[in-house]
Amino acid sequence: MELELDTFGLTAAILAIAGVVAFLAHRAKQPLIIAFILVGIVVGPNVLGLVEEAEALDLLAKIGIAILLFLVGLKLDIRLVRSIGKVALLTGLGQVVFTSLIGWVIAVLFGIDLVAAIYVAVALTFSSTIIIVKLLTDKRELDELHGRIALGFLIVQDIVVILAMIALTSFGGGREGSLGEQVLFLIVSAVGLLGGLYVVARWVLPPLLRLLATSQELLIVWSVAWAVALAALTDLLGFSIEVGAFLAGFALASTRYRETIAASLSGLRDFLLLFFFITLGAQLDFSAIGEQIPAAIVFSLFVLIGNPLIVLIIMGLMGYPSRVGFLAGLAVAQISEFSLILIALGRDLDQVGDDMVGLVTLVGLITIAGSTYLILYSKQIYAWLEPALRIFERRRTRPTADYEPETYDAIVFGYGRFGKQLVGEIVGTGCTVLVVEWDPYAQAQIDDADLADRVTVVFGDASSPDFPDTLPIRHARWIISTVPDAGTSIVLATALRQHGATCPIAVTAHTDAVGALYDAAVADGTISTVLHPFRDAADDAIDTLRRLENTEPETP
């Protein structure tokens, strides 16, 4: 007896399969994007044949894409865009340009036609912000220099992909009429849309949001309705749902409710995107898959190896050490969900065929799987490749001739968030500080903080055992490492002692587990003390709250 499933039963079966495959992918430390595409292959016509004409799944997929683009726009606050550093901007744009050019050449060499080659090349340039942020957060590297830079150029990529989608849907929508008429219609539509959106965002949304925010459920329902409605409007005007959803989020990005909305919708986004990746996997044409494998392998190697090399070269020319460039470069060693959305958009516009969608999807499966392990074991891989990667560093002359050893009370390694606060406190006591940092732009931050008269910056790598010999360590009263990595700080402290440092040496631990790694070095006197900035901050907060509790309130 043949079992026939209605839409609800079909969806239930697909979700059950997705749950099992997602669990296996999680155990293999793989992003769930891979699991969901594999589910699509399994339930598609090539295997189980559960998905043939699944209009309901397509609708859920489109809503998922709209929510994704809405959240991207929601996080692109204009103040955040302005704060993107020079290195993130130049690295992000440089990587997009060079990856697109080289990818286009490879595509042409494989005989792909001009328009499809452009789509494939552009799709190779984008990396998954969601995947990278999760991996770096799990490794506690998001606040390290390479993590901050990677997050910066991922934001640049998000902006570029939105602009690419706008351009493609504006000039590739197949409108009727002459070119002049199409351009005129485009300009009028864009001006009207942006002008109306500005009016709504400026005078309508702020008071409306204040009313909606009185109910959490109402705010969430309205946000989804706003995103989908504007997406439908731009689709009607000849743009795409992606453009409208992004603009809907961007209109709310400067409001105080954006974090609440983003946190509430992130789970819904992940659930609905499941259906996009499932339908994508179900549409793979396995009859032509054999012909695409050679091209997919070459493109995947280019993304896994070539993209990080492009970032490494650009950052090396800007003065960053090979370690920072390599670790940041691994963030672009895969293509993203936006790559798949972009190539699917090209198919919807009848500019590329299903074969190109299949090719980019294969590249996505290979690169996302491969780059996950590259990032998880990034530091071990760098240690193995370090001698060869040194050629990408721009040679620098360390400014030891400008040192006045007797004037430096403290030497601080690292000028991150804790380092900045610590240096400011030390300078506030009337002391002078020598900051050792491998970020070439640390000096500009010192100048902006008006600390240049008491703080000197030297470019250097704390993990190099020979570097301390170039520093005035014998004249310092304190030496502090704010580097969060325990291994680096232990190597540094050992080298400092070997080169004659006799003053107290303090290191930093963000967690008690990291602090325990320093026990042996503290016991033998290499390290004098371990600083716990987060734990100490919590203790100070409790003391402040207790003082407030014991303070009598003033009577009016």
Side-chain angles (χ1 to χ4, degrees), residues 300-341:
S300 298
L301 290 175
F302 170 59
V303 172
L304 287 167
I305 301 173
N307 271 357
L309 282 177
I310 290 172
V311 171
L312 186 59
I313 292 171
I314 294 173
M315 292 185 63
L317 292 174
M318 297 179 70
Y320 284 86
S322 60
R323 183 178 186 274
V324 177
F326 177 78
L327 295 179
L330 290 181
V332 295
Q334 95 286 129
I335 66 173
S336 76
E337 63 276 6
F338 283 120
S339 304
L340 304 177
I341 292 172

Side-chain angles (χ1 to χ4, degrees), residues 145-261:
L145 179 58
H146 68 273
R148 299 197 306 270
I149 293 173
L151 181 59
F153 61 65
L154 287 172
I155 292 173
V156 173
Q157 285 187 358
D158 289 344
I159 296 173
V160 172
V161 72
I162 295 300
L163 295 176
M165 288 182 182
I166 292 174
L168 290 172
T169 56
S170 299
F171 298 100
R175 298 185 183 90
E176 296 181 357
S178 65
L179 179 60
E181 292 173 341
Q182 293 184 36
V183 171
L184 179 61
F185 177 80
L186 171 64
I187 294 175
V188 172
S189 299
V191 170
L193 176 64
L194 295 177
L197 189 62
Y198 175 79
V199 172
V200 172
R202 181 70 175 82
W203 286 286
V204 178
L205 291 181
L208 179 60
L209 286 172
R210 284 194 293 272
L211 294 174
L212 295 170
T214 57
S215 170
Q216 179 78 5
E217 294 85 356
L218 181 60
L219 181 63
I220 300 308
V221 171
W222 181 87
S223 299
V224 174
W226 166 248
V228 175
L230 200 56
L233 175 60
T234 54
D235 188 44
L236 184 64
L237 292 175
F239 295 98
S240 69
I241 62 173
E242 291 85 357
V243 173
F246 169 78
L247 291 176
F250 191 70
L252 304 179
S254 298
T255 69
R256 59 176 177 167
Y257 305 103
R258 69 172 190 149
E259 297 298 339
T260 300
I261 296 172

